[in-house]
Amino acid sequence: MSLKASDGSTLSAHVRPLLGWEVMRGRQLARVQGNMEYVLGTLEDDLFPGAIIPAVMNRELHYYAVAPTHAQQQRLLALLRASVGRTITDFSGELVYFDAAYELEALLTEHGYPSGFRFSNRSDARRGRYALTALARLRHLVNQSGSLTANQPRTTGQELRRFEMSLVAYDKRGAEQAIQFLQSNMRLDAVNLGAMSVRLLSRFQEWEQICQLDIFPSLCQARRTGKITDLLAEAAYRTFILDLENKGDPSQLVAAFNDRILPKAGNLFATCPDYVSPMAGRAFLLAAAASGLPETELIDELRTISDHWPEEDRNSFEYLRQHFFQESAGPKVADDSPESDYQFQIDMLQSRESIPNLERARAGVFAASQLDTTEAFRIAIAYVDSLEEEDRNTLLSNSFNRLAYQRMAELTAGTFTPENWVEWIRALEREDLYVPQDFFLTALESWRVSEHLEDGRRVSELVDAIESAVPVPEDRLLDVLPALVQWLQSDPGCPDSSLRELYRAIYNRILLHLTVRWSKETASVAGVLLEALLELGADREDYDQLLDDMGDALPTESGRTDAEVFLELAETIADYGSPSPESRLRLWVRIVEGLRSIGTRLSEHEVVLANDIGQVFGFDEAVPTAQEIAPATAVTGDLAGKMVAVYTLTESVSRRTGRILQKLYPGIRVELASDTVGSRRLEELARRADIFVVCWRSATHAATELIKRHRPTGAATIYPTGNGSSSILRELQENYSP
């Protein structure tokens, strides 16, 4: 409370009997007591400006916020406005004088606090949990900021979080900058950085560039997650094989696989992951065909995996399978590789078919040390620990076994392998928690959305876990949420109306982070979730809350890099129907305030785009144009007299882009297309356009493949990273001058 600890402790002892917490019982109390204690702890926290006291009155949770000095009171006011503004509680910022008729208020007055702030969430239980979580997080962040110096460099964890957030929001630059920082500051080794580059390039469908990475051969040889194996195999197939599929001769595919892929593949196709994408699955099928062995077990595994693929991909796989492998194929040749034998030994430890014995323990420790995986370590340690004491002492008397056991114990100390997202999130409070950095890639690879969230009960459990998560060190929840969003995005049915409450819960938690600590990457993720929620539809009350919450999270002072977030958010609310024009206008005004604060640093296309969107809200000139406009980032040509084709299924974006291009580039010819399948017009545009802009995130596979197939060699084709006009215009302006 910015007082001596003894003073805060004394006041806390007097306050506790008057808080009324005893009326909360059972599950209700268990869900919030940790946060309530943490918030009340501000009374004894020297770094926190003042204190926040949660009290139950008439079965509703109310808060008293007091501070010992005027300066601290003003700082406390600013923090409360940022964390529990009017959309979460009824906090108005008004200072009130306490009433001696109420025992708690009389006690505060007696101890030198005659006035303070008083607020509650009224009877909204869900917002009550958000408010309590926000206040607990506020204390955590104040403490964290007080222990850091202003010039402290960004941590590896912060950069990894920035990378994941950027991937969720399709922010290619942000992800590239994170990799560059980690590389320049030698935070990760080359293999891990290479794996991050593979994920980045695959996110933006740049498959050929994956195969061109200098580290591609090393990645094919190194230990890697199943997800990275999947992406490398898909990249190889798309780059070297896909163009031959339509020629109708499967034997050419095997020949191409042997000539183009195998020399670079190392041990890429040694083990098939639990789940692979359709392209990677066909690559593994060709690897089996090229080996000349009847890989019946692998083929059966791939057939099972293919049940999750779209019908077109299942048919392509089945055609190749029937060509290369007959149902009467002979028995599978036994895998006698060392890795297979080591895994067999670990499986035997797990089977527990007999009483734990010394010989099997010896074999298991050696096998685990050779496999060098966390899972193998855990199984071996558990088996050794289950031995009789005499056998265990005998085993560990050998120096190799003892050192191997100690190493495995150290590496697995505190490790945790969750079975689902609920288990993962609920374990975040554990101080010794250690989830391997790349574990969520296993979740992306192996956990199917339809299986983990197969009914409303499971969805509710996950929503409850997210809403009830308490602030924890190092923003662990914020590290998990991007992985969860990527997982949801991987589902073909995203956004799914049955998961609306889940999207909303993640959205609310992301905004709680933003209200206290703004970042462009986190804001972009919130924008992605807002778009999904608007696409699913919202009634007036829900729409008001969605937009007002976002408005409260926007920063009062903006930086140059925030312009892209503001413009994408503006397009989102402009292009979706609004059941509440008033709340939409309020958010637009907040966006305009942010843009105007950096007005002189906006590029010309950003100014023109902002004013075009402003027409939807009745603003003729949202951002003044009578200013010094920043020059184009890179000038490499001129669009005057050229034909530019723009393909996107979002017609509002298409029309807006066309208007702005014609305004920015006099003499340009713009052709717009939104065909869901291939057509003669689309084919003709692909052949004739000087530049073809393909918004691949808002496109059909058939149309994008047709465009790619009919583009002349060397013709410019641009694939914007975003869905909106801002992304299209930025790509063009960076390469062409008005």
Side-chain angles (χ1 to χ4, degrees):
M1 190 174 168
S2 304
L3 295 171
K4 293 180 180 178
S6 58
D7 295 335
S9 178
T10 300
L11 181 56
S12 177
H14 285 91
V15 161
R16 278 185 179 277
L18 307 178
L19 298 180
W21 291 4
E22 64 275 4
V23 303
M24 305 176 69
R25 301 185 184 282
R27 177 176 171 82
Q28 182 187 22
L29 179 61
R31 291 175 63 179
V32 301
Q33 188 169 18
N35 275 341
M36 290 170 70
E37 289 286 357
Y38 192 69
V39 172
L40 184 63
T42 54
L43 279 166
E44 303 177 50
D45 187 339
D46 339 354
L47 294 175
F48 197 84
I52 302 172
I53 303 169
V56 177
M57 302 169 62
N58 298 322
R59 306 194 71 83
E60 292 180 3
L61 193 56
H62 293 247
Y63 301 94
Y64 291 89
V66 296
T69 68
H70 177 71
Q72 290 177 24
Q73 192 177 72
Q74 291 303 110
R75 186 179 174 215
L76 181 59
L77 171 62
L79 291 172
L80 291 174
R81 278 178 171 160
S83 57
V84 287
R86 59 188 174 81
T87 59
I88 298 179
T89 71
D90 59 6
F91 179 74
S92 65
E94 180 182 354
L95 195 67
V96 298
Y97 284 90
F98 296 141
D99 188 343
Y102 294 96
E103 198 171 0
L104 177 58
E105 295 189 16
L107 177 68
L108 290 173
T109 301
E110 180 185 335
H111 280 77
Y113 302 100
S115 63
F117 305 108
R118 183 173 54 209
F119 55 96
S120 75
N121 53 277
R122 296 199 176 100
S123 58
D124 190 332
R126 186 179 71 172
R127 292 198 171 274
R129 291 196 297 273
Y130 295 154
L132 186 58
T133 301
L135 291 170
R137 176 166 171 73
L138 175 62
R139 181 190 171 192
H140 167 70
L141 289 175
V142 168
N143 283 322
Q144 190 179 57
S145 64
S147 63
L148 300 176
T149 63
N151 295 322
Q152 184 170 358
R154 291 174 66 88
T155 66
T156 301
Q158 287 174 325
E159 286 302 316
L160 290 172
R161 185 185 308 139
R162 177 187 180 189
F163 176 77
E164 299 301 338
M165 289 285 189
S166 297
L167 287 193
V168 171
Y170 291 93
D171 178 2
K172 188 177 182 182
R173 287 182 177 180
E176 288 174 337
Q177 289 168 356
I179 292 176
Q180 181 60 44
F181 177 92
L182 293 168
Q183 183 178 36
S184 300
N185 291 275
M186 295 181 287
R187 299 292 182 84
L188 293 178
D189 59 42
V191 171
N192 279 314
L193 289 168
M196 291 175 69
S197 295
V198 169
R199 293 184 57 216
L200 169 62
L201 293 170
S202 67
R203 185 70 166 170
F204 296 98
Q205 308 289 300
E206 296 177 356
W207 301 103
E208 292 184 12
Q209 291 191 36
I210 292 177
C211 296
Q212 293 168 4
L213 290 172
D214 291 339
I215 201 168
F216 181 85
S218 298
L219 290 173
C220 290
Q221 292 285 5
R223 283 182 56 200
R224 57 190 175 270
T225 64
K227 184 62 178 177
I228 297 301
T229 296
D230 174 46
L231 295 177
L232 292 171
E234 179 168 1
Y237 193 88
R238 286 181 178 274
T239 302
F240 300 114
I241 304 295
L242 188 58
D243 61 335
L244 298 175
E245 269 196 358
N246 295 325
K247 296 186 178 180
D249 184 358
S251 61
Q252 285 190 11
L253 303 186
V254 173
F257 184 89
N258 283 322
D259 293 342
R260 301 178 181 181
I261 295 180
L262 276 185
K264 301 180 179 181
N267 65 7
L268 178 60
F269 297 98
T271 304
C272 183
D274 292 338
Y275 181 82
V276 287
S277 63
M279 298 288 181
R282 301 211 283 275
F284 273 93
L285 182 69
L286 290 183
S291 70
L293 296 175
E295 297 276 354
T296 54
E297 185 176 319
L298 171 61
I299 304 309
D300 288 343
E301 182 182 348
L302 289 172
R303 292 181 72 179
T304 301
I305 293 172
S306 70
D307 290 340
H308 297 281
W309 298 343
E311 182 179 1
E312 181 181 352
D313 289 307
R314 286 199 306 271
N315 292 339
S316 297
F317 171 81
E318 192 60 20
Y319 169 75
L320 293 177
R321 186 196 67 78
Q322 291 180 7
H323 178 84
F324 293 119
F325 300 94
Q326 302 302 318
E327 300 292 345
S328 58
K332 176 176 170 56
V333 176
D335 182 359
D336 57 357
S337 64
E339 290 78 7
S340 175
D341 182 60
Y342 299 147
Q343 187 59 54
F344 173 77
Q345 296 295 339
I346 297 299
D347 293 341
M348 290 298 292
L349 297 187
Q350 235 178 343
S351 68
R352 296 299 177 98
E353 294 177 356
S354 60
I355 297 174
N357 62 78
L358 183 58
E359 290 308 312
R360 184 158 290 174
R362 284 195 181 103
V365 169
F366 181 76
S369 65
Q370 297 303 305
L371 288 173
D372 199 32
T373 65
T374 303
E375 182 65 16
F377 292 168
R378 269 203 306 273
I379 294 170
I381 288 172
Y383 193 89
V384 170
D385 290 346
S386 68
L387 292 172
E388 294 290 339
E389 184 176 1
E390 183 179 351
D391 286 344
R392 185 172 181 275
N393 290 337
T394 300
L395 175 75
L396 299 181
S397 65
N398 176 279
S399 59
F400 172 84
N401 293 336
R402 184 175 63 256
L403 292 173
Y405 178 86
Q406 290 172 350
R407 174 176 176 268
M408 290 188 284
E410 290 172 2
L411 291 176
T412 56
T415 57
F416 172 63
T417 304
E419 296 295 326
N420 53 58
W421 294 102
V422 173
E423 197 174 282
W424 192 350
I425 291 171
R426 287 179 177 168
L428 294 175
E429 296 177 52
R430 287 173 40 182
E431 291 185 5
D432 64 341
L433 176 70
Y434 171 69
V435 176
Q437 177 186 320
D438 57 3
F439 171 75
F440 73 90
L441 292 180
T442 300
L444 291 175
E445 170 198 347
S446 305
W447 296 357
R448 306 266 66 77
V449 174
S450 59
E451 295 170 1
H452 278 250
L453 301 175
E454 61 183 357
D455 55 46
R457 178 183 61 81
R458 291 194 174 187
V459 176
S460 296
E461 286 179 352
L462 182 51
V463 169
D464 185 67
I466 294 169
E467 291 180 348
S468 304
V470 300
V472 287
E474 300 175 7
D475 297 324
R476 287 175 176 170
L477 181 61
L478 196 58
D479 290 334
V480 173
L481 291 182
L484 177 54
V485 176
Q486 287 183 60
W487 179 69
L488 292 169
Q489 288 177 325
S490 70
D491 184 55
C494 184
D496 183 341
S497 58
S498 68
L499 303 181
R500 179 183 175 82
E501 286 304 308
L502 177 56
Y503 302 149
R504 182 61 185 274
I506 302 172
Y507 176 75
N508 289 335
R509 289 310 297 258
I510 291 287
L511 289 185
L512 283 178
H513 286 275
L514 280 175
T515 54
V516 179
R517 183 183 298 165
W518 170 267
S519 84
K520 177 179 75 72
E521 293 79 20
T522 310
S524 295
V525 176
V528 168
L529 291 165
L530 176 62
E531 184 173 2
L533 288 164
L534 294 181
E535 185 175 335
L536 293 174
D539 60 27
R540 183 185 180 95
E541 181 180 1
D542 194 32
Y543 185 89
D544 285 343
Q545 292 291 350
L546 286 171
L547 269 61
D548 286 345
D549 288 353
M550 177 63 81
D552 285 344
L554 295 182
T556 54
E557 295 183 6
S558 309
R560 173 68 187 86
T561 58
D562 294 326
E564 187 175 340
V565 176
F566 289 146
L567 290 170
E568 289 179 350
L569 182 58
E571 271 199 285
T572 296
I573 63 172
D575 291 344
Y576 282 94
S578 170
S580 176
E582 297 84 0
S583 58
R584 185 168 74 156
L585 182 60
R586 282 197 299 272
L587 181 53
W588 167 248
V589 170
R590 289 285 291 108
I591 292 170
V592 169
E593 289 173 354
L595 290 172
R596 286 183 172 178
S597 70
I598 52 175
T600 58
R601 289 174 286 167
L602 295 174
S603 67
E604 184 172 4
H605 89 265
E606 289 170 333
V607 172
V608 176
L609 175 57
N611 288 329
D612 188 274
I613 297 172
Q615 301 295 316
V616 176
F617 303 94
F619 281 66
D620 291 329
E621 192 176 68
V623 179
T625 55
Q627 57 179 302
E628 181 183 349
I629 302 296
T633 306
V635 179
T636 60
D638 195 335
L639 292 177
K642 288 186 169 60
M643 184 174 83
V644 177
V646 178
Y647 175 81
T648 175
L649 294 180
T650 310
E651 293 187 11
S652 56
V653 169
S654 181
R655 292 192 298 270
R656 181 178 297 117
T657 301
R659 288 195 303 270
I660 295 173
L661 284 176
Q662 289 171 338
K663 183 172 184 177
L664 285 174
Y665 304 95
I668 193 176
R669 179 184 170 190
V670 181
E671 294 287 346
L672 308 176
S674 57
D675 308 59
T676 56
V677 295
S679 67
R680 288 189 177 181
R681 178 175 181 270
L682 194 61
E683 182 178 328
E684 186 65 16
L685 285 176
R687 289 195 178 102
R688 295 177 50 229
D690 296 299
I691 301 167
F692 209 121
V693 180
V694 182
C695 297
W696 57 276
R697 288 176 54 199
S698 179
T700 64
H701 176 72
T704 53
E705 286 301 314
L706 181 142
I707 293 169
K708 183 177 180 181
R709 193 162 57 247
H710 290 95
R711 290 294 284 156
T713 302
T717 306
I718 294 176
Y719 297 91
T721 58
N723 267 334
S725 306
S726 176
S727 182
I728 299 172
L729 295 168
R730 184 182 65 250
E731 294 282 351
L732 287 171
Q733 188 168 33
E734 287 185 352
N735 292 280
Y736 300 91
S737 170

